[in-house]
Amino acid sequence: MTKKINLFANLKSDFASGLVVFLVALPLCLGIAMASGAPLFSGIISGVIGGIVVGYLSQSHISVSGPAAGLTAIILTAITDFGAFDVFLLSVFIAGLIQLALGFLKAGSISNYFPTNVIEGMLAGIGIIIILKQVPHAFGYDADFEGDQAFIQNDGSNTFSFLFDILNHIQLGAVVVSLVSLVILISWDKISFLKNLKLIPGALVAVVAGVVLNEIFVSSGSSLAITKEHLVSLPVPKSFDEFKSILILPNFAAVSNPQVWVVALTIAIVASIETLLCIEAADRMDVQKRYTNTNVELRAQGIGNILSSLLGGLPMTSVVVRSSANNNAGAKSKMSAIIHGVLLLLSVLSIPTILNKIPLATLATVLILVGYKLAKPATFKHFWEKGKYQFIPFIATLVFVVATDLLKGVALGIVISIIFVLRGNLKRAYSFKKEEYEDGDVIHIDLAQEVSFLNKAAIKSTLNEIPENSKVIINAHDTEYIAHDVLDLIREFKGTRAVDQNIKVKLKGFKEAYELENSPDINNHVSIEHYYDVAKRTMVKKEVANEDSKK
């Protein structure tokens, strides 16, 4: 259950973390809009609505919503096919309505079935992606858009080949800014005399230092000066009319277009799954261990997407990168997400020119540290120590997320996790032990609470390995369900193989409905008499049946 807290109770720490998320979100909003083939301001609008509206309506105190890289391919294809951005906005509007309906239908409950090791693998994978994708920006190579998480990039290269291209595009000024920013970020919270300045986030100090350094390079005519294409590029409206033209309404006349509905359903499903995954991840990161009502989250996302479409914004999801930055900056409540949205709104209205002086290299350094904290070595060690059933799904999810994308990676991770659960279930369907007695071995087979057809092979193998002249107790006292396949297997073993190989069998705790005789104690020498009684009763039943048939 989500803990209720006063949104203004931790305003100092929430403002600081909101400021950090704002600095991270600004280039991501612009980069994702650019990659989606949409107007640049559509990304900012989505970020503002995601911060203020969804931030307020959501019950998550860590997650931050905004335009997501996972939707860029869908958006780009849709805008290209429709040939008009306002028609695409109608799809976003309908997608919001679908998400709202999913929230009321309690579809958010599926997040309870995401395994923890898969969620942690997803986070570590995203951490590695952030590092790999931001290293080129830190060296001044900005050919790929900010926020890209896909392994195969728009230009046909991939994440790894793109890293090798850095050597041909190093910008020394960006490298200097990155190194200075890295020193500030690492040392800011560690140097004792800076403790009085702890309320000022290190990310802000790094950004200010990056701007000042580059301004010095520019004013001195240095070759280290970072050029415009390597800085934040926020559109600057020159008049109120120009600003007003940014706000685009959906084209409701296209409601009869079936393709609009197909795109809407696709966005609703993908955005909802990404949101649920992020919410699970955010709850894992929350040091206060507050749990989010995922059905409320879907409703909040639906309302956010409806409003975003009405203002000309991109569709949104809860986003791991921003949520992780928010958590690492010390957010205490969802006020930090709201503050980040307010700062986005105020900054684009009042100081776009100043923001356009921020080097992308500085912001890349901030994100690299965010990525490191998501994929820190301690996480790998933790799952390694938990054993292969936890580690393999974790590492598989990580690899697939890096090599494909978030949704495919998580899907494959869940499949592998299910395989391991089934494999573990095969072994845990019963316990097998021997106890030494003076008169020989007594083999105990204790069945689990549920024994399905999946356990048949393992139980069959165990029964086949029981040696001749043994004594076996099969105990079903704790069992609620036994599949018919397994019951038939036990019947065949008891009635045929056990008799042929002089194996004394005792069945304990089997329900009457299973129609399995619960044998007397095998340590009493009455097995022959028992089988004689069973045979006698069978003969009597046959005689009665014959008499009935004659009548």
Side-chain angles (χ1 to χ4, degrees), residues 414-478:
I414 289 175
V415 169
I416 290 173
S417 194
I418 289 171
I419 291 171
F420 271 77
V421 167
L422 293 176
R423 188 173 176 182
N425 187 47
L426 297 180
K427 297 185 176 183
R428 290 191 291 271
Y430 62 94
S431 59
F432 176 65
K433 60 184 178 180
K434 290 183 180 181
E435 293 180 4
E436 292 291 336
Y437 286 91
E438 290 183 2
D439 57 343
D441 285 349
V442 177
I443 300 172
H444 291 257
I445 300 176
D446 298 327
L447 299 181
Q449 189 172 14
E450 290 193 5
V451 183
S452 73
F453 72 94
L454 296 170
N455 310 123
K456 179 180 177 180
I459 294 175
K460 184 177 183 178
S461 176
T462 297
L463 294 177
N464 284 338
E465 292 173 4
I466 293 173
E468 295 183 6
N469 306 313
S470 299
K471 299 175 182 178
V472 181
I473 297 175
I474 303 177
N475 186 0
H477 275 303
D478 298 327

Side-chain angles (χ1 to χ4, degrees), residues 123-132 134 321 324-325 328 364-377 380:
L123 286 174
I126 290 174
I128 291 173
I129 288 173
I130 292 171
I131 295 171
L132 294 176
Q134 293 302 320
V321 178
S324 179
N328 293 335
T365 310
V366 174
L367 285 169
I368 286 171
L369 286 187
V370 169
Y372 173 77
K373 289 177 181 178
L374 284 173
K376 55 184 180 289
F380 291 80

Side-chain angles (χ1 to χ4, degrees), residues 19-183:
L19 183 58
V20 172
V21 180
F22 155 69
L23 293 171
V24 168
L26 179 62
L28 295 182
C29 288
L30 296 171
I32 291 168
M34 184 180 295
S36 301
L40 290 182
F41 259 108
S42 64
I44 299 294
I45 291 168
S46 179
V48 171
I49 299 296
I52 299 174
V53 178
V54 178
Y56 177 76
L57 295 175
S58 170
Q59 290 186 356
S60 174
H61 291 281
I62 298 298
S63 75
V64 182
S65 297
L71 295 174
T72 52
I74 298 171
I75 298 169
L76 179 61
T77 303
I79 293 174
T80 303
D81 291 344
F82 292 144
F85 186 61
D86 59 349
V87 177
F88 168 73
L89 290 177
L90 178 61
S91 290
V92 180
F93 180 85
I94 297 170
L97 293 176
I98 294 172
Q99 283 186 296
L100 196 58
L102 289 173
F104 283 111
L105 291 172
K106 301 188 184 303
S109 302
I110 65 169
S111 64
N112 296 323
Y113 300 98
F114 297 148
T116 298
N117 51 4
V118 171
I119 296 297
E120 292 286 354
M122 177 193 77
L123 286 174
I126 290 174
I128 291 173
I129 288 173
I130 292 171
I131 295 171
L132 294 176
K133 293 291 189 180
Q134 293 302 320
V135 164
H137 294 294
F139 280 87
Y141 185 30
D142 300 308
D144 192 26
F145 71 91
E146 282 283 0
D148 185 18
Q149 292 181 4
F151 183 72
I152 303 298
Q153 299 177 176
N154 292 338
D155 59 0
S157 63
N158 61 55
T159 301
F160 296 122
S161 64
F162 196 70
L163 288 174
F164 291 106
D165 289 341
I166 293 175
L167 297 175
N168 300 320
H169 300 87
I170 292 177
Q171 216 281 338
L172 290 179
V175 174
V176 172
V177 167
S178 295
L179 290 174
V180 171
S181 300
L182 189 62
V183 170

Side-chain angles (χ1 to χ4, degrees), residues 82 87 90-91 94 253-266:
F82 292 144
V87 177
L90 178 61
S91 290
I94 297 170
V255 72
S256 59
N257 184 346
Q259 192 61 30
V260 167
W261 291 85
V262 171
V263 172
L265 185 61
T266 304

Side-chain angles (χ1 to χ4, degrees), residues 322-339:
R322 285 163 228 188
S323 302
S324 179
N326 191 34
N327 178 65
N328 293 335
K332 295 291 191 296
S333 77
K334 60 185 182 180
M335 178 57 80
S336 60
I338 297 171
I339 289 170

Side-chain angles (χ1 to χ4, degrees), residues 152 192 203 296 363 404 464 528 534:
I152 303 298
S192 57
V296 172
L363 299 177
T404 56
N464 284 338
I528 296 174
V534 172

